Amino acid sequence: MIEVRFAGFGGQGIIRSGLILGRAVSIFDEKFATMNQNFGPEARGGACSSQIVLSDTKILYPYVTRTDYLVAMSQDAYSTFEHELKDEGTLIIDVDLVRANSNKKTYDIPSTRMAEELGNKIIANVVMLGFFTAISKVVSKEAMEKSIRESVPGRFIDLNLRAFNKGYDWGDKKLSEDN
Amino acid sequence: MDKIIEAFHDGINKSGRDREKMCMVTDIAYDPEVVDYLGVDLFHTNRGRAIAFATGMKLSNPNLILAVFIGDMATLGGNHFVHAARRNMDLFVVCVNDFRYRKVAAQETPGDFSRLEFSSYCSIEQPLNLPHLARSNGAVYVARWTALHHEDLINSMAEALPQAGFKLIEVISPKPELLEFFYLNSEIKHGEDTAKVGIEEDKKIVVGKFVERERETFIDAYNKQHYKVLGDKFIKIAAE
Amino acid sequence: MKADPKNVFTGSHYIDGDVACAYGAVAAGCKYLAGYPITPSTEAAEAFAVKAPYVGAQFIQMEDELGSIASVLGASWAGKKAMTITSGPGFSLMMETIGLGAATETPFVIINIQRAGPSTGVPTSTGQADMMQAKWGSHGDYEIIALAPESPQESFELTFKAFNLAERYRVPVMVMSDECVGHMAEKVVIPNAQELEVEPRRYFTGSKKDYKPFKRDKDLVPWMARAGAGYKLYLTGLTHGEDGRPIFDVKTFEMKSKSLRGSTNRYLVDKIRHNRDKIIKFEEHQTDDAEVVVVSYGISARVAIKAVKEARESGIKVGTLRLVTVWPFPEKRIEELAHQVKGFVVPEINYGQVVYEVDRCSQGRANVILVPHGGAAVHDSDDILGAIKQAATDHNPYDRILEYTTALEREVFGENMVSKI
């Protein structure tokens, strides 16, 4: 069982990221994925996170307890959720938005900057999803691409796929640097 | 009350509307004989919810003709009154204003203005001006009569029933021994500004047809907008 | 009758429980939804509203929940399958009119995505504390049916089923989901329309003048008629006879005659009680040899499975009984199990509601241990495991209902929290 948390603030597409990953795993990779969203009573604009539990069998407990992957897209998200990351867990951050000081394995990507270069910072989460897919390998690249096709409006599919691949390539590069 | 049902009966006849398609929705109980007499379906809902109940009926079967009889100056359910008027829901609303709750001695409704005899001591509150509330929220037809303005009431009902939109007729109908007093103390002013028709002590009660206008109903607006957005994919609500 | 293919969004979806409820309703042929926005149920109303114009259904955002439920009753009599969707505060506002629905035997569905706490509580967090309100919320005596889904998939299935039950028994049916299931996205597989059996409205087919809105068939359920079709319907919330017209007679409150004429009040409860074996649905696992049975519903039942597995591994003979219909309650089965087991463990996200029913049915033969939860989250399965262990070792029938002290409560309040309720 793998537990993932995407965290940031409202408007960054945090919930959508969770849905795309969950859809990819459960519909296209045919495993089990339960996604839950968290937001405070003041729903919009504030802190926001989505949690996804992935498994080969039916998921009984729908929330994350000790995360394997934390994807943080704001400083607040990092400081709130860093502690629930397993010791052997992986921290993934937007290097421009988060100043991390963690002893856990950390990968960073300038996802928002890359999204801006692609023309719209709103797809930073998709760049991040590509990066996450490459680093974590918990979901197949093909499944993610199919999921993105189903999750975004038609005219934005190409842009989103480019964003995804840009993040994915960055992740591949980071991993090869590691080895 | 019998006077009003009688007027309603004649009003339906005069309007030429189909009784079988007519549903009377009330928030107090009416004698079941009313059904036989009028030849309509009658739904006695819980207090204050008649307008909302009728809204659901109209939206589910646009062919129905909804006549809503309310009895406490739309106090319970006043919000439904305001919003049904605002949406221009196609309802014919009759508010029977008897100033107090008939079977409960000495409790006045918000329509009460009397300092004299209706309540145990007196009503200290300003009476609710329902015609003004209806007009300011977009009702297409607003009138007020006393129960003794029998012919006027029939004509008013016959006139209002075929119109599309939210219609209100307030009928002043206190206890029988006072009816004549109110009838004599009223004056007919058609087209009067509803802001000026509030009932006040020592002033004549203004009756007449205050508002008659056309406005797009909820269902028409809904259909138009959805056709605009969805084109042929839109499926209109139809009777089952 | 098969479902209309136009209404069935066949395929695999990745949607949350709220949306699954909306899709279940559309598949069942629901054509009217009135509601007022309230977290955490808004996603359900939104999903229905998006689909409505494509399937000839109406969504209306009413001025409040009082109006929503009243209009749902009106819609139902006007001939449409109708529902409303709400959460705690809205559910409370609807109570009076639910009574009217029960008294006039109007088929409709209420989806309650339960949230935590009384009053405003925690709008964005889960709870299961409306269960007794669902049963008893309106004044007077009546019976309703309540279902509790444990996943988005079941949210679809049970909402669909709710409409069938409502039509079959002319009764308000409640889908008692909760925020966790409502906001949880999972794969939901919607089958082909041919695989979905829809209960059509049971319209009276005889001559119009013979129609009586509360004249019953042999399973005590009366026939429906459409409004505005010349039946001269008279419908009232006053206690009424089979012609629907009010009667104020002591006989109407207790029907002594064996004939099917007479009071409605008696039938309001009897039509559900007499048919309960057909209505009640629950799932049992490993109860054959069980010494302890975990009785739960909704998300709590799902979380409990983990604890049950661990307990089985450690050698405790434990089984589960998951209530799919919470109301009516499977009294007979609990009573049977009470002869066999040492104890029941009842985890629910409240401080004791359905646990009383379990205790009532076990009649002192078995211990009943409540694993309480204040809401805003789901149980820690370790707490349920602890209660299972306790039920397996202690057996003192005089204890009746015992409240298990959860780890969190021990931390906050200290060791001596265990109390009888």
Side-chain angles (χ1 to χ4, degrees):
Chain A
M1 196 165 70
I2 291 155
E3 301 182 351
V4 182
R5 187 187 286 277
F6 292 105
F9 41 81
Q12 278 183 320
I14 298 296
I15 308 291
R16 183 163 287 253
S17 296
L19 281 172
I20 290 172
L21 174 60
R23 181 172 285 132
V25 171
S26 69
I27 310 264
F28 300 110
D29 275 350
E30 295 191 347
K31 291 176 186 167
F32 290 85
T34 299
M35 198 282 284
N36 237 300
Q37 46 184 300
N38 293 70
F39 42 83
E42 65 299 321
R44 312 285 173 228
C48 162
S49 88
S50 63
Q51 33 186 311
I52 308 99
V53 183
L54 311 173
S55 174
D56 293 336
T57 55
K58 184 175 171 176
I59 292 147
L60 303 174
Y61 191 80
Y63 297 113
V64 302
T65 45
R66 301 283 287 158
T67 42
D68 298 88
Y69 295 93
L70 168 63
V71 180
M73 294 191 63
S74 75
Q75 190 64 34
D76 200 29
Y78 164 75
S79 43
T80 310
F81 297 116
E82 197 272 338
H83 71 91
E84 73 173 20
L85 198 55
K86 282 177 184 164
D87 291 340
E88 64 280 18
T90 304
L91 174 67
I92 297 174
I93 56 169
D94 184 313
V95 69
D96 296 329
L97 299 177
V98 179
R99 211 176 284 260
N101 178 26
S102 172
N103 53 7
K104 285 151 199 168
K105 200 168 176 71
T106 306
Y107 291 94
D108 59 38
I109 179 171
S111 64
T112 309
R113 213 187 318 150
M114 288 166 121
E116 273 165 357
E117 284 164 17
L118 284 166
N120 198 340
K121 74 171 181 183
I122 205 147
I123 51 171
N125 66 323
V126 185
V127 178
M128 192 54 114
L129 274 175
F131 187 57
F132 166 82
T133 306
I135 299 285
S136 70
K137 297 191 167 63
V138 297
V139 57
S140 71
K141 183 169 185 259
E142 295 70 32
M144 284 299 278
E145 285 175 341
K146 283 183 196 161
S147 180
I148 288 168
R149 281 177 193 280
E150 282 209 356
S151 307
V152 303
R155 60 205 154 102
F156 296 120
I157 288 177
D158 279 348
L159 179 65
N160 275 271
L161 288 178
R162 265 189 288 141
F164 177 81
N165 278 303
K166 197 160 179 178
Y168 190 88
D169 294 344
W170 186 273
D172 256 359
K173 203 175 102 205
K174 283 272 180 183
L175 282 182
S176 58
E177 278 169 17
D178 265 14
N179 295 331
Chain B
M1 176 57 63
D2 295 346
K3 273 287 195 203
I4 300 170
I5 293 297
E6 208 182 304
F8 182 46
H9 178 272
D10 294 352
I12 301 172
N13 276 352
K14 206 164 175 181
S15 73
R17 303 226 75 181
D18 185 355
R19 289 168 185 281
E20 283 213 346
K21 290 198 169 62
M22 193 168 293
C23 296
M24 183 170 161
V25 187
T26 74
D27 57 5
I28 56 158
Y30 279 67
D31 194 312
E33 282 177 16
V34 165
V35 168
D36 303 326
Y37 174 60
L38 292 176
V40 302
D41 289 343
L42 192 148
F43 296 86
H44 165 214
T45 73
N46 46 347
R47 312 167 311 156
R49 309 297 155 225
I51 289 174
F53 191 99
T55 296
M57 295 186 82
K58 184 71 196 177
L59 291 177
S60 292
N61 182 354
N63 300 333
L64 296 179
I65 306 159
L66 274 310
V68 184
F69 280 62
I70 53 176
D72 67 343
M73 294 298 282
T75 301
L76 278 160
N79 203 22
H80 309 317
F81 182 93
V82 169
H83 288 274
R86 176 180 69 80
R87 294 187 187 109
N88 205 20
M89 198 57 72
D90 196 356
L91 308 175
F92 172 67
V93 178
V94 176
C95 179
V96 181
N97 183 1
D98 54 4
F99 303 110
R100 62 168 192 167
Y101 300 94
R102 277 277 175 85
K103 286 185 175 162
V104 188
Q107 281 188 11
E108 70 272 15
T109 75
D112 194 7
F113 64 97
S114 168
R115 311 260 157 157
L116 297 171
E117 62 173 302
F118 292 128
S119 56
S120 309
Y121 298 98
C122 65
S123 173
I124 55 162
E125 299 169 12
Q126 174 172 311
L128 188 66
N129 182 348
L130 205 57
H132 193 46
L133 187 67
R135 198 214 67 172
S136 58
N137 284 289
V140 296
Y141 186 98
V142 181
R144 176 197 278 155
W145 300 102
T146 78
L148 287 187
H149 286 92
H150 195 62
E151 285 304 314
D152 295 311
L153 188 54
I154 293 170
N155 289 336
S156 210
M157 284 178 164
E159 194 174 69
L161 267 169
Q163 296 197 17
F166 187 87
K167 290 91 61 179
L168 169 73
I169 299 180
E170 181 186 343
V171 187
I172 310 273
S173 171
K175 55 183 174 180
E177 57 269 36
L178 282 171
L179 258 176
E180 198 168 331
F181 169 81
F182 281 98
Y183 177 69
L184 295 173
N185 275 287
S186 63
E187 57 179 331
I188 299 176
K189 281 187 182 173
H190 290 303
E192 177 70 324
D193 179 359
T194 52
K196 295 179 186 151
V197 305
I199 296 175
E200 290 172 47
E201 213 182 354
D202 306 327
K203 269 177 77 175
K204 288 208 162 185
I205 291 175
V206 184
V207 297
K209 178 170 77 183
F210 305 135
V211 178
E212 189 175 11
R213 58 186 168 184
E214 276 184 29
R215 195 159 77 85
E216 193 172 42
T217 64
F218 178 91
I219 292 178
D220 288 345
Y222 180 92
N223 289 344
K224 203 166 100 187
Q225 177 64 18
H226 282 77
Y227 269 125
K228 203 170 117 191
V229 180
L230 300 175
D232 291 341
K233 286 180 190 155
F234 172 54
I235 301 179
K236 220 162 73 170
I237 317 296
E240 289 279 305
Chain C
M1 196 172 92
K2 301 292 177 205
D4 181 350
K6 180 176 92 234
N7 299 338
V8 182
F9 311 129
T10 303
S12 295
H13 303 261
Y14 195 71
I15 49 177
D16 65 22
D18 278 5
V19 177
C21 283
Y23 287 6
V26 174
C30 174
K31 289 289 189 303
Y32 186 83
L33 167 63
Y36 186 83
I38 185 164
T39 303
S41 72
T42 41
E43 288 86 347
E46 189 186 335
F48 187 94
V50 169
K51 297 291 185 188
Y54 293 97
V55 298
Q58 176 82 51
F59 164 72
I60 182 168
Q61 185 178 314
M62 289 296 282
E63 48 276 5
D64 52 30
E65 285 90 351
L66 304 161
S68 303
I69 184 86
S71 78
V72 163
L73 265 67
S76 185
W77 278 100
K80 294 281 161 63
K81 291 188 180 179
M83 72 162 172
T84 181
I85 298 175
T86 192
S87 183
F91 195 52
S92 292
L93 282 179
M94 290 175 182
M95 284 303 146
E96 187 194 353
T97 310
I98 289 172
L100 178 68
T104 52
E105 303 184 51
T106 307
F108 64 93
V109 171
I110 299 177
I111 292 170
N112 178 3
I113 312 292
Q114 296 173 86
R115 45 154 93 177
S119 189
T120 309
V122 192
T124 52
S125 291
T126 191
Q128 290 181 318
D130 304 351
M131 298 312 297
M132 280 297 175
Q133 188 188 17
K135 185 166 171 55
W136 301 115
S138 199
H139 57 277
D141 223 351
Y142 61 93
E143 290 263 351
I144 51 92
I145 298 173
L147 312 166
E150 53 119 46
S151 63
Q153 179 70 40
E154 214 181 42
S155 297
F156 172 85
E157 290 163 6
L158 292 189
T159 307
F160 184 86
K161 186 185 169 74
F163 279 92
N164 283 354
L165 289 169
E167 294 297 337
R168 182 65 190 80
Y169 297 104
R170 260 185 77 171
V171 69
V173 180
M174 301 176 189
V175 179
M176 302 296 287
S177 182
D178 67 87
E179 188 275 340
C180 182
V181 173
H183 277 166
M184 171 204 293
E186 278 185 348
K187 181 172 165 178
V188 173
V189 180
I190 300 182
N192 287 319
Q194 295 83 6
E195 291 164 45
L196 292 170
E197 199 63 37
V198 169
E199 180 85 33
R201 180 154 292 185
R202 290 151 42 86
Y203 280 119
F204 180 72
T205 47
S207 133
K208 277 181 189 173
K209 65 177 185 341
D210 297 337
Y211 177 68
K212 290 183 171 161
F214 299 96
K215 190 175 163 139
R216 283 149 216 287
D217 68 5
K218 60 180 187 307
D219 59 6
L220 304 183
V221 185
W223 302 94
M224 284 289 279
R226 287 180 185 83
Y231 283 93
K232 292 193 185 177
L233 283 170
Y234 183 92
L235 216 74
T236 175
L238 291 163
T239 296
H240 43 266
E242 65 179 18
D243 57 0
R245 302 185 177 206
I247 26 175
F248 303 100
D249 182 341
V250 68
K251 282 189 191 140
T252 63
F253 290 91
E254 267 315 314
M255 188 199 60
K256 296 197 175 73
S257 156
K258 279 184 184 168
S259 85
L260 291 186
R261 280 173 290 133
S263 149
T264 319
N265 283 7
R266 178 81 236 174
Y267 289 125
L268 293 185
V269 295
D270 276 0
K271 74 171 174 183
I272 301 302
R273 290 180 188 169
H274 286 184
N275 292 306
R276 65 185 139 200
D277 291 343
K278 283 182 258 172
I279 299 168
I280 289 170
K281 194 180 161 204
F282 52 83
E283 280 180 4
E284 268 185 66
H285 289 291
Q286 298 177 301
T287 47
D288 291 347
D289 64 340
E291 292 182 337
V292 177
V293 169
V294 178
V295 181
S296 53
Y297 53 93
I299 189 64
S300 301
R302 186 166 163 172
V303 173
I305 297 172
K306 194 177 166 201
V308 169
K309 279 185 180 162
E310 284 170 26
R312 274 273 168 189
E313 279 160 21
S314 69
I316 301 172
K317 288 177 178 163
V318 55
T320 55
L321 189 150
R322 181 171 76 87
L323 306 168
V324 178
T325 40
V326 180
W327 312 122
F329 190 75
E331 296 163 345
K332 235 190 295 177
R333 185 60 190 141
I334 298 289
E335 203 183 314
E336 282 165 16
L337 285 170
H339 284 92
Q340 170 196 327
V341 302
K342 284 184 185 170
F344 292 105
V345 171
V346 186
E348 48 183 341
I349 308 177
N350 55 51
Y351 289 108
Q353 294 197 8
V354 171
V355 70
Y356 286 107
E357 290 292 279
V358 178
D359 181 55
R360 179 174 67 81
C361 300
S362 77
Q363 297 175 359
R365 292 193 180 88
N367 282 159
V368 178
I369 301 179
L370 165 69
V371 189
H373 197 296
V378 298
H379 286 88
D380 189 332
S381 65
D382 288 347
D383 288 329
I384 302 173
L385 181 62
I388 293 171
K389 285 179 179 160
Q390 190 182 331
T393 47
D394 302 349
H395 178 62
N396 181 0
Y398 300 106
D399 276 350
R400 302 298 293 269
I401 304 180
L402 206 64
E403 195 178 329
Y404 183 78
T405 308
T406 62
L408 182 68
E409 285 181 329
R410 212 173 295 135
E411 192 185 317
V412 177
F413 300 111
E415 275 301 326
N416 299 322
M417 261 294 286
V418 179
S419 59
K420 279 180 204 172
I421 58 172

